[in-house]
Amino acid sequence: MKKIIVCLLFLLPLKLQALKIAALMPSHAEIICSIGMCGDLIAVGSYCDWPKELESKPKAGDYFKPDLEKLYSLKPDLVFLPVSLNSTAASDLKKIGLKVIEIEPEKNIGDICFTAKKIASYAGRDREAEKFCLKLNLEISKFKPKKRKKIFYEIDSGFWTAGGESFLSDVLSKAGGRNIFEARKENYFKVSWETVIKENPDIIISNYSKPEYFYSLPLADKVSAVKNKKVFLLEKNHRDILVRPGPRIPRAVKKLSEMIDE
């Protein structure tokens, strides 16, 4: 009987040891905290500022240029990074012996759950990830816009915007908008003002450019958004929740829907 009990004990799931994790992308850090792993973070990126618990965490550069010396000294078990064709961050970290988990950029809101589940799978937090996804999907399902207005979203100065391969197109759609460049199968790219005029958006939203800037551009009076004074500059707190595909995306959808309906 004693042998049987011992054998059964071996079949029980072992309690996983806490991992030492580094997350250099703000959205990854926010997701990690949302699935109960904030205490496992020993380093975060320089732009990781939410939730408040992250403010006291050691900063280790960012996801394009990590602080290799800092990370090597901290020796995390895992470093989470976004897949990037324009950065050597992952290969640089691997060269100093760190285990890097690369995560594909989110193309829609549903991919936020994929990211959460992938992160959770390395720490035995699958149940927490499921709860996170249920909550996220429930909050997003509350938004049911009846009309869709054409939107130009300038994510960075110089007419940088998002295409159909970016989760931002999905966010705009859920809020009652339609990204005027959603047909382009790219994530982020630069366009010309002439192209924006041709698409004639109903609303212009910018992360950095003030409405007055758009009002002063050539042929601005030909654009519906300008004629109807529907040009908005996002405040930093609203900008952050919009560009980070994480737990605060429902707040971003709510804010956008208010701007669209204004």
Side-chain angles (χ1 to χ4, degrees), residues 14-204:
L14 296 175
K15 184 178 180 180
L16 294 175
Q17 291 184 340
L19 292 171
K20 295 189 295 181
I21 296 173
L24 303 184
M25 190 167 184
S27 58
H28 293 169
E30 292 187 18
I31 289 172
I32 286 169
C33 287
S34 294
I35 58 176
M37 295 168 58
C38 219
D40 297 334
L41 284 167
I42 62 166
V44 295
S46 53
Y47 297 109
C48 298
D49 55 8
W50 189 92
K52 279 191 173 183
E53 292 93 320
L54 299 184
E55 293 178 2
S56 60
K57 301 286 184 180
K59 300 299 188 289
D62 59 44
Y63 52 93
F64 271 102
K65 192 175 181 180
D67 186 332
L68 300 179
E69 186 176 343
K70 169 80 77 173
L71 288 167
Y72 182 76
S73 67
L74 292 171
K75 291 183 170 49
D77 299 308
L78 299 172
V79 180
F80 288 102
L81 281 178
V83 172
S84 175
L85 299 177
N86 303 315
S87 172
T88 61
S91 59
D92 291 342
L93 289 167
K94 290 174 183 177
K95 285 177 183 176
I96 60 173
L98 298 180
K99 184 174 181 179
V100 178
I101 307 300
E102 295 181 84
I103 297 177
E104 290 287 343
E106 293 79 4
K107 295 183 179 181
N108 52 58
I109 293 175
D111 282 349
I112 297 173
C113 281
F114 177 82
T115 296
K117 290 177 180 179
K118 182 170 183 177
I119 291 172
S121 68
Y122 288 92
R125 297 276 186 166
D126 304 84
R127 187 174 297 177
E128 287 83 351
E130 287 292 343
K131 290 180 181 178
F132 168 84
C133 292
L134 284 172
K135 181 182 178 183
L136 179 69
N137 291 332
L138 179 62
E139 291 178 341
I140 292 297
S141 69
K142 295 176 182 177
F143 298 97
K144 298 177 181 179
K146 296 179 181 179
K147 296 181 180 179
R148 300 197 184 281
K149 296 181 180 178
K150 296 189 296 181
I151 296 178
F152 170 58
Y153 177 35
E154 186 190 46
I155 60 174
D156 204 351
S157 56
F159 303 110
W160 280 91
T161 191
E165 293 291 293
S166 167
F167 76 97
L168 289 169
S169 282
D170 193 22
V171 173
L172 291 173
S173 177
K174 294 293 190 297
R178 181 177 68 79
N179 179 7
I180 60 173
F181 294 111
E182 67 179 3
R184 288 184 58 166
K185 300 305 178 185
E186 301 176 66
N187 47 16
Y188 306 106
F189 47 87
K190 193 173 184 178
V191 297
S192 66
W193 174 238
E194 290 73 22
T195 307
V196 175
I197 293 174
K198 184 178 178 181
E199 295 295 334
N200 192 25
D202 300 306
I203 298 170
I204 294 175

